[in-house]
Structures are given as structure tokens and as C-alpha cells.
Amino acid sequence: MKSTPFLLSCLLFLSALALSIGCGQGPSADTHTPASTGESHTHTHESGNENHTHTPAPGTGSHSHSHAPGERGDGHSHYHDAVERPPFTYLTMNGEFHLNPGDSMSQNDPRNPGRLILTTSSDKGSLTKMTFFDHSDVEKQLAECGYHFIGSRPDPHYYPEQSKTSIWDVFEKVEDFSGDCSKYKYVLSRSPHGDPIHMHLRYGDDVERILAMSNDAEDDQFNPWWATYCDINRTTACD
């Protein structure tokens, strides 16, 4: 007959094993109801993605968004641990990009061009060329414009307390090649970075106003504005 301590050890081991199997399996969900608004938020987390369903107070409507962690409003520029941050990030404004396939906040925001073609050279005096395509029709070219990089600016919401990499590259339009470049006078970019490569972009006619968008209250009009773009060949989330 086994001793009592031995049987106790077996029972404890089996209990711990059952607990470890029961935890960490499948999606988790949590519901928050703020006392001040009565608005309920249900979040389901599965396979590293977040699906958010917001049900506001009666009569105000509801909306749903899904995105992977870090795709909207986290304030970071994400660099792969094994890759050194480039010393001149604006020189990475090269390649063809489309809206992040895994992020409805980018996909559904009509402000975001559906496709971008970027060309930057290190040759002295050269321009950065940006080509913007229609949000809903990625074959429809809206404008092709030439820019000078005029400096980098810290994000007013996240830098430096929450992120020391929360930096925007600022481009000023100096040439209209084709189409209507008027609404793209300034382009602010988290220039292409990370693994998988991605970027963030805003545009407008006032640099200070564009930066200040980081302090906008989150709402169902896709604010704060955090468009995320992936390499054109990518079919899954890139951020």
C-alpha cells in the first residue's frame, strides 16, 4: 500500500496538469461596461488578433472593427530585433504598398488611398515621388506628386513617455506631376519599417493639425487616424 505522502503528491500533480490543460486554450472574451456611459464593449481575442464590437447607448448605433495588436494608435515604429533602425528612415520610402489586409480600421477609412507607389533616391537634390490611388479602386490613379523631406517630428501623444520611436517623417510637396496633388500638400509617414515591412501615413495641408490627430478621441469615424500599409504582395496582416 502506497504511503499517504506519495498519494498526496500524485493528486497534486494530476490537479496541476488538468489546470494547465484547461487554461490557455481557445479564445478569451471580456465585457466592459463603463459606469459613466453605460456603453458595453465586448472583446474577443483569438490567434493574436483582436475583434472589437462596440454597442453604444440606445439610439447611437453600433460598429465593429478588427485588427491585430499594434495596428492602430499604439504610437510605435516597430523594428525587428535583429535589424538596426535605419539612420535616415525617410530613404526607406520605396516600393508599392496596399492597405493592411488584416485591419478593418485601415481598410474602411475612406481617407486612406487604396494603394501607394513610393520612389526615393539618395541622390542629391532628388525628389521623393508618391503616387496615390483611389480608396475603392486600386487601379485608379488620383495623383502623382514630388516631395522634399523637411524633417522628423515626435508624435504629440506618445513621445517620449510611451514610445521613444514614436516619430513621423514629414514631406512637403514641391511638384505636381499628374492628377490633383492639392490635398497632399504635406505627407507624414512612419516610413517603411519592421518585419514584415509596413508603414503608416497621413496627409493634409497643415503639419501641426496632422500631428494633433494623434490626440483625437477614439470614435467610430476611424479616429485617431492610423492608416497601416503592407507590401503590395502581402495577403495577411503585416503589423
mmCIF file of all heavy atoms in Angstrom, residues 177-211:
data_model
loop_
_atom_site.group_PDB
_atom_site.id
_atom_site.type_symbol
_atom_site.label_atom_id
_atom_site.label_comp_id
_atom_site.label_asym_id
_atom_site.label_seq_id
_atom_site.Cartn_x
_atom_site.Cartn_y
_atom_site.Cartn_z
ATOM 1 N N PHE A 177 3.161 66.218 -60.515
ATOM 2 C CA PHE A 177 3.454 65.505 -61.759
ATOM 3 C C PHE A 177 2.181 65.236 -62.557
ATOM 4 O O PHE A 177 2.138 65.432 -63.765
ATOM 5 C CB PHE A 177 4.187 64.189 -61.469
ATOM 6 C CG PHE A 177 5.576 64.382 -60.931
ATOM 7 C CD1 PHE A 177 5.902 63.989 -59.643
ATOM 8 C CD2 PHE A 177 6.574 64.958 -61.706
ATOM 9 C CE1 PHE A 177 7.182 64.158 -59.143
ATOM 10 C CE2 PHE A 177 7.855 65.143 -61.217
ATOM 11 C CZ PHE A 177 8.164 64.734 -59.930
ATOM 12 N N SER A 178 1.135 64.750 -61.866
ATOM 13 C CA SER A 178 -0.129 64.484 -62.543
ATOM 14 C C SER A 178 -1.235 64.382 -61.513
ATOM 15 O O SER A 178 -0.987 64.157 -60.325
ATOM 16 C CB SER A 178 -0.052 63.185 -63.356
ATOM 17 O OG SER A 178 0.144 62.064 -62.493
ATOM 18 N N GLY A 179 -2.479 64.545 -61.971
ATOM 19 C CA GLY A 179 -3.621 64.453 -61.088
ATOM 20 C C GLY A 179 -3.718 65.642 -60.144
ATOM 21 O O GLY A 179 -3.064 66.664 -60.332
ATOM 22 N N ASP A 180 -4.552 65.488 -59.110
ATOM 23 C CA ASP A 180 -4.798 66.563 -58.150
ATOM 24 C C ASP A 180 -3.973 66.335 -56.887
ATOM 25 O O ASP A 180 -4.330 65.533 -56.022
ATOM 26 C CB ASP A 180 -6.292 66.607 -57.815
ATOM 27 C CG ASP A 180 -6.635 67.760 -56.877
ATOM 28 O OD1 ASP A 180 -5.746 68.589 -56.610
ATOM 29 O OD2 ASP A 180 -7.790 67.811 -56.406
ATOM 30 N N CYS A 181 -2.855 67.066 -56.784
ATOM 31 C CA CYS A 181 -1.966 66.928 -55.623
ATOM 32 C C CYS A 181 -2.333 67.879 -54.494
ATOM 33 O O CYS A 181 -1.653 67.902 -53.460
ATOM 34 C CB CYS A 181 -0.516 67.185 -56.044
ATOM 35 S SG CYS A 181 0.202 65.922 -57.119
ATOM 36 N N SER A 182 -3.391 68.655 -54.657
ATOM 37 C CA SER A 182 -3.668 69.742 -53.713
ATOM 38 C C SER A 182 -3.907 69.256 -52.292
ATOM 39 O O SER A 182 -3.500 69.925 -51.335
ATOM 40 C CB SER A 182 -4.866 70.571 -54.188
ATOM 41 O OG SER A 182 -6.034 69.766 -54.293
ATOM 42 N N LYS A 183 -4.566 68.113 -52.125
ATOM 43 C CA LYS A 183 -4.854 67.666 -50.753
ATOM 44 C C LYS A 183 -3.696 66.903 -50.120
ATOM 45 O O LYS A 183 -3.755 66.527 -48.954
ATOM 46 C CB LYS A 183 -6.128 66.840 -50.709
ATOM 47 C CG LYS A 183 -6.065 65.485 -51.380
ATOM 48 C CD LYS A 183 -7.402 64.771 -51.184
ATOM 49 C CE LYS A 183 -7.424 63.387 -51.790
ATOM 50 N NZ LYS A 183 -8.732 62.725 -51.576
ATOM 51 N N TYR A 184 -2.619 66.706 -50.892
ATOM 52 C CA TYR A 184 -1.443 66.002 -50.378
ATOM 53 C C TYR A 184 -0.273 66.971 -50.191
ATOM 54 O O TYR A 184 0.879 66.632 -50.454
ATOM 55 C CB TYR A 184 -1.042 64.869 -51.322
ATOM 56 C CG TYR A 184 -2.162 63.920 -51.673
ATOM 57 C CD1 TYR A 184 -2.736 63.937 -52.943
ATOM 58 C CD2 TYR A 184 -2.646 63.015 -50.740
ATOM 59 C CE1 TYR A 184 -3.762 63.068 -53.275
ATOM 60 C CE2 TYR A 184 -3.670 62.142 -51.060
ATOM 61 C CZ TYR A 184 -4.225 62.181 -52.333
ATOM 62 O OH TYR A 184 -5.256 61.314 -52.651
ATOM 63 N N LYS A 185 -0.563 68.193 -49.740
ATOM 64 C CA LYS A 185 0.494 69.203 -49.599
ATOM 65 C C LYS A 185 1.596 68.726 -48.662
ATOM 66 O O LYS A 185 2.788 68.890 -48.936
ATOM 67 C CB LYS A 185 -0.094 70.511 -49.081
ATOM 68 C CG LYS A 185 0.941 71.617 -48.924
ATOM 69 C CD LYS A 185 0.310 72.924 -48.449
ATOM 70 C CE LYS A 185 1.355 74.018 -48.297
ATOM 71 N NZ LYS A 185 0.752 75.296 -47.819
ATOM 72 N N TYR A 186 1.200 68.144 -47.537
ATOM 73 C CA TYR A 186 2.154 67.536 -46.605
ATOM 74 C C TYR A 186 1.768 66.073 -46.399
ATOM 75 O O TYR A 186 0.584 65.743 -46.259
ATOM 76 C CB TYR A 186 2.152 68.246 -45.254
ATOM 77 C CG TYR A 186 2.647 69.665 -45.307
ATOM 78 C CD1 TYR A 186 1.751 70.736 -45.325
ATOM 79 C CD2 TYR A 186 4.013 69.947 -45.367
ATOM 80 C CE1 TYR A 186 2.204 72.044 -45.394
ATOM 81 C CE2 TYR A 186 4.472 71.250 -45.433
ATOM 82 C CZ TYR A 186 3.561 72.292 -45.444
ATOM 83 O OH TYR A 186 4.021 73.583 -45.516
ATOM 84 N N VAL A 187 2.764 65.224 -46.411
ATOM 85 C CA VAL A 187 2.562 63.809 -46.087
ATOM 86 C C VAL A 187 3.428 63.485 -44.885
ATOM 87 O O VAL A 187 4.625 63.777 -44.872
ATOM 88 C CB VAL A 187 2.924 62.898 -47.276
ATOM 89 C CG1 VAL A 187 2.912 61.440 -46.843
ATOM 90 C CG2 VAL A 187 1.958 63.118 -48.437
ATOM 91 N N LEU A 188 2.805 62.907 -43.860
ATOM 92 C CA LEU A 188 3.534 62.439 -42.676
ATOM 93 C C LEU A 188 3.544 60.926 -42.701
ATOM 94 O O LEU A 188 2.499 60.297 -42.908
ATOM 95 C CB LEU A 188 2.875 62.946 -41.389
ATOM 96 C CG LEU A 188 3.332 64.335 -40.904
ATOM 97 C CD1 LEU A 188 2.986 65.411 -41.919
ATOM 98 C CD2 LEU A 188 2.723 64.653 -39.553
ATOM 99 N N SER A 189 4.715 60.363 -42.506
ATOM 100 C CA SER A 189 4.857 58.916 -42.646
ATOM 101 C C SER A 189 5.650 58.317 -41.497
ATOM 102 O O SER A 189 6.621 58.898 -41.029
ATOM 103 C CB SER A 189 5.574 58.597 -43.963
ATOM 104 O OG SER A 189 5.941 57.239 -44.032
ATOM 105 N N ARG A 190 5.198 57.160 -41.019
ATOM 106 C CA ARG A 190 6.091 56.243 -40.322
ATOM 107 C C ARG A 190 6.667 55.410 -41.460
ATOM 108 O O ARG A 190 6.076 54.411 -41.882
ATOM 109 C CB ARG A 190 5.333 55.359 -39.325
ATOM 110 C CG ARG A 190 4.675 56.136 -38.189
ATOM 111 C CD ARG A 190 5.742 56.737 -37.267
ATOM 112 N NE ARG A 190 5.113 57.505 -36.203
ATOM 113 C CZ ARG A 190 4.646 56.987 -35.079
ATOM 114 N NH1 ARG A 190 4.715 55.701 -34.859
ATOM 115 N NH2 ARG A 190 4.113 57.770 -34.165
ATOM 116 N N SER A 191 7.758 55.875 -42.015
ATOM 117 C CA SER A 191 8.275 55.307 -43.248
ATOM 118 C C SER A 191 8.504 53.806 -43.120
ATOM 119 O O SER A 191 8.643 53.283 -42.010
ATOM 120 C CB SER A 191 9.558 56.046 -43.641
ATOM 121 O OG SER A 191 9.274 57.421 -43.873
ATOM 122 N N PRO A 192 8.499 53.081 -44.257
ATOM 123 C CA PRO A 192 8.529 51.612 -44.222
ATOM 124 C C PRO A 192 9.575 51.061 -43.259
ATOM 125 O O PRO A 192 10.739 51.458 -43.274
ATOM 126 C CB PRO A 192 8.848 51.250 -45.679
ATOM 127 C CG PRO A 192 8.205 52.359 -46.463
ATOM 128 C CD PRO A 192 8.428 53.599 -45.638
ATOM 129 N N HIS A 193 9.144 50.124 -42.427
ATOM 130 C CA HIS A 193 9.997 49.574 -41.376
ATOM 131 C C HIS A 193 9.416 48.234 -40.943
ATOM 132 O O HIS A 193 8.317 47.860 -41.329
ATOM 133 C CB HIS A 193 10.056 50.523 -40.167
ATOM 134 C CG HIS A 193 8.716 50.762 -39.531
ATOM 135 N ND1 HIS A 193 7.833 51.710 -39.988
ATOM 136 C CD2 HIS A 193 8.104 50.166 -38.473
ATOM 137 C CE1 HIS A 193 6.733 51.694 -39.249
ATOM 138 N NE2 HIS A 193 6.877 50.756 -38.321
ATOM 139 N N GLY A 194 10.160 47.537 -40.110
ATOM 140 C CA GLY A 194 9.648 46.333 -39.459
ATOM 141 C C GLY A 194 9.768 45.071 -40.288
ATOM 142 O O GLY A 194 10.203 45.066 -41.433
ATOM 143 N N ASP A 195 9.364 43.982 -39.682
ATOM 144 C CA ASP A 195 9.374 42.669 -40.313
ATOM 145 C C ASP A 195 8.119 41.919 -39.849
ATOM 146 O O ASP A 195 8.079 41.501 -38.694
ATOM 147 C CB ASP A 195 10.644 41.906 -39.932
ATOM 148 C CG ASP A 195 10.740 40.549 -40.617
ATOM 149 O OD1 ASP A 195 9.984 40.318 -41.583
ATOM 150 O OD2 ASP A 195 11.552 39.705 -40.178
ATOM 151 N N PRO A 196 7.087 41.802 -40.669
ATOM 152 C CA PRO A 196 7.038 42.176 -42.085
ATOM 153 C C PRO A 196 6.980 43.692 -42.267
ATOM 154 O O PRO A 196 6.480 44.416 -41.401
ATOM 155 C CB PRO A 196 5.737 41.516 -42.578
ATOM 156 C CG PRO A 196 4.885 41.413 -41.341
ATOM 157 C CD PRO A 196 5.835 41.145 -40.214
ATOM 158 N N ILE A 197 7.481 44.138 -43.406
ATOM 159 C CA ILE A 197 7.574 45.577 -43.649
ATOM 160 C C ILE A 197 6.178 46.199 -43.729
ATOM 161 O O ILE A 197 5.247 45.604 -44.276
ATOM 162 C CB ILE A 197 8.388 45.843 -44.930
ATOM 163 C CG1 ILE A 197 8.763 47.321 -45.017
ATOM 164 C CG2 ILE A 197 7.645 45.360 -46.173
ATOM 165 C CD1 ILE A 197 9.806 47.625 -46.070
ATOM 166 N N HIS A 198 6.043 47.377 -43.136
ATOM 167 C CA HIS A 198 4.780 48.103 -43.176
ATOM 168 C C HIS A 198 5.060 49.580 -42.938
ATOM 169 O O HIS A 198 6.189 49.966 -42.636
ATOM 170 C CB HIS A 198 3.797 47.563 -42.130
ATOM 171 C CG HIS A 198 4.279 47.699 -40.724
ATOM 172 N ND1 HIS A 198 5.206 46.834 -40.160
ATOM 173 C CD2 HIS A 198 3.987 48.600 -39.753
ATOM 174 C CE1 HIS A 198 5.455 47.191 -38.921
ATOM 175 N NE2 HIS A 198 4.726 48.279 -38.640
ATOM 176 N N MET A 199 4.047 50.406 -43.081
ATOM 177 C CA MET A 199 4.206 51.840 -42.878
ATOM 178 C C MET A 199 2.872 52.437 -42.458
ATOM 179 O O MET A 199 1.817 51.803 -42.567
ATOM 180 C CB MET A 199 4.715 52.517 -44.154
ATOM 181 C CG MET A 199 3.757 52.418 -45.322
ATOM 182 S SD MET A 199 4.315 53.367 -46.762
ATOM 183 C CE MET A 199 4.089 55.041 -46.168
ATOM 184 N N HIS A 200 2.918 53.673 -41.964
ATOM 185 C CA HIS A 200 1.720 54.424 -41.589
ATOM 186 C C HIS A 200 1.794 55.781 -42.290
ATOM 187 O O HIS A 200 2.886 56.319 -42.511
ATOM 188 C CB HIS A 200 1.645 54.613 -40.079
ATOM 189 C CG HIS A 200 1.825 53.341 -39.317
ATOM 190 N ND1 HIS A 200 0.824 52.402 -39.169
ATOM 191 C CD2 HIS A 200 2.900 52.833 -38.660
ATOM 192 C CE1 HIS A 200 1.264 51.384 -38.456
ATOM 193 N NE2 HIS A 200 2.535 51.624 -38.133
ATOM 194 N N LEU A 201 0.643 56.339 -42.633
ATOM 195 C CA LEU A 201 0.660 57.560 -43.431
ATOM 196 C C LEU A 201 -0.560 58.423 -43.143
ATOM 197 O O LEU A 201 -1.672 57.923 -42.946
ATOM 198 C CB LEU A 201 0.721 57.183 -44.913
ATOM 199 C CG LEU A 201 0.705 58.310 -45.957
ATOM 200 C CD1 LEU A 201 1.670 57.963 -47.103
ATOM 201 C CD2 LEU A 201 -0.697 58.529 -46.516
ATOM 202 N N ARG A 202 -0.331 59.734 -43.085
ATOM 203 C CA ARG A 202 -1.377 60.744 -43.044
ATOM 204 C C ARG A 202 -1.007 61.852 -44.023
ATOM 205 O O ARG A 202 0.163 61.982 -44.397
ATOM 206 C CB ARG A 202 -1.498 61.369 -41.643
ATOM 207 C CG ARG A 202 -1.909 60.436 -40.535
ATOM 208 C CD ARG A 202 -1.857 61.167 -39.188
ATOM 209 N NE ARG A 202 -2.122 60.264 -38.073
ATOM 210 C CZ ARG A 202 -1.871 60.576 -36.808
ATOM 211 N NH1 ARG A 202 -1.374 61.769 -36.500
ATOM 212 N NH2 ARG A 202 -2.134 59.709 -35.846
ATOM 213 N N TYR A 203 -1.967 62.672 -44.385
ATOM 214 C CA TYR A 203 -1.682 63.786 -45.288
ATOM 215 C C TYR A 203 -2.628 64.939 -44.970
ATOM 216 O O TYR A 203 -3.632 64.784 -44.273
ATOM 217 C CB TYR A 203 -1.838 63.352 -46.753
ATOM 218 C CG TYR A 203 -3.211 62.821 -47.090
ATOM 219 C CD1 TYR A 203 -4.258 63.690 -47.419
ATOM 220 C CD2 TYR A 203 -3.473 61.450 -47.065
ATOM 221 C CE1 TYR A 203 -5.527 63.206 -47.697
ATOM 222 C CE2 TYR A 203 -4.730 60.961 -47.343
ATOM 223 C CZ TYR A 203 -5.754 61.842 -47.670
ATOM 224 O OH TYR A 203 -7.005 61.359 -47.947
ATOM 225 N N GLY A 204 -2.314 66.120 -45.503
ATOM 226 C CA GLY A 204 -3.158 67.285 -45.282
ATOM 227 C C GLY A 204 -2.414 68.555 -45.641
ATOM 228 O O GLY A 204 -1.343 68.515 -46.266
ATOM 229 N N ASP A 205 -2.976 69.707 -45.244
ATOM 230 C CA ASP A 205 -2.364 70.985 -45.611
ATOM 231 C C ASP A 205 -1.741 71.720 -44.432
ATOM 232 O O ASP A 205 -1.307 72.865 -44.559
ATOM 233 C CB ASP A 205 -3.401 71.890 -46.295
ATOM 234 C CG ASP A 205 -4.596 72.200 -45.411
ATOM 235 O OD1 ASP A 205 -4.594 71.792 -44.226
ATOM 236 O OD2 ASP A 205 -5.547 72.841 -45.907
ATOM 237 N N ASP A 206 -1.688 71.064 -43.256
ATOM 238 C CA ASP A 206 -1.144 71.708 -42.064
ATOM 239 C C ASP A 206 -0.456 70.654 -41.198
ATOM 240 O O ASP A 206 -1.114 69.755 -40.670
ATOM 241 C CB ASP A 206 -2.271 72.385 -41.288
ATOM 242 C CG ASP A 206 -1.776 73.200 -40.104
ATOM 243 O OD1 ASP A 206 -1.097 72.633 -39.233
ATOM 244 O OD2 ASP A 206 -2.090 74.406 -40.040
ATOM 245 N N VAL A 207 0.863 70.774 -41.064
ATOM 246 C CA VAL A 207 1.630 69.753 -40.339
ATOM 247 C C VAL A 207 1.169 69.636 -38.887
ATOM 248 O O VAL A 207 1.001 68.519 -38.363
ATOM 249 C CB VAL A 207 3.143 70.064 -40.406
ATOM 250 C CG1 VAL A 207 3.925 69.112 -39.495
ATOM 251 C CG2 VAL A 207 3.647 69.954 -41.830
ATOM 252 N N GLU A 208 0.955 70.772 -38.230
ATOM 253 C CA GLU A 208 0.562 70.738 -36.821
ATOM 254 C C GLU A 208 -0.783 70.045 -36.634
ATOM 255 O O GLU A 208 -0.992 69.281 -35.695
ATOM 256 C CB GLU A 208 0.509 72.152 -36.247
ATOM 257 C CG GLU A 208 1.833 72.898 -36.265
ATOM 258 C CD GLU A 208 2.955 72.166 -35.535
ATOM 259 O OE1 GLU A 208 2.654 71.497 -34.517
ATOM 260 O OE2 GLU A 208 4.113 72.258 -35.967
ATOM 261 N N ARG A 209 -1.698 70.325 -37.539
ATOM 262 C CA ARG A 209 -3.024 69.708 -37.448
ATOM 263 C C ARG A 209 -2.948 68.203 -37.682
ATOM 264 O O ARG A 209 -3.638 67.424 -37.039
ATOM 265 C CB ARG A 209 -3.959 70.363 -38.472
ATOM 266 C CG ARG A 209 -5.427 69.954 -38.324
ATOM 267 C CD ARG A 209 -6.281 70.686 -39.339
ATOM 268 N NE ARG A 209 -6.125 72.131 -39.204
ATOM 269 C CZ ARG A 209 -6.280 72.987 -40.208
ATOM 270 N NH1 ARG A 209 -6.552 72.550 -41.426
ATOM 271 N NH2 ARG A 209 -6.146 74.279 -39.991
ATOM 272 N N ILE A 210 -2.095 67.797 -38.629
ATOM 273 C CA ILE A 210 -1.940 66.366 -38.909
ATOM 274 C C ILE A 210 -1.363 65.648 -37.684
ATOM 275 O O ILE A 210 -1.832 64.568 -37.293
ATOM 276 C CB ILE A 210 -1.046 66.141 -40.141
ATOM 277 C CG1 ILE A 210 -1.661 66.794 -41.376
ATOM 278 C CG2 ILE A 210 -0.850 64.648 -40.390
ATOM 279 C CD1 ILE A 210 -0.719 66.869 -42.567
ATOM 280 N N LEU A 211 -0.339 66.236 -37.072
ATOM 281 C CA LEU A 211 0.251 65.643 -35.874
ATOM 282 C C LEU A 211 -0.767 65.550 -34.745
ATOM 283 O O LEU A 211 -0.850 64.538 -34.035
ATOM 284 C CB LEU A 211 1.455 66.471 -35.422
ATOM 285 C CG LEU A 211 2.746 66.328 -36.218
ATOM 286 C CD1 LEU A 211 3.732 67.414 -35.801
ATOM 287 C CD2 LEU A 211 3.361 64.947 -36.031
#
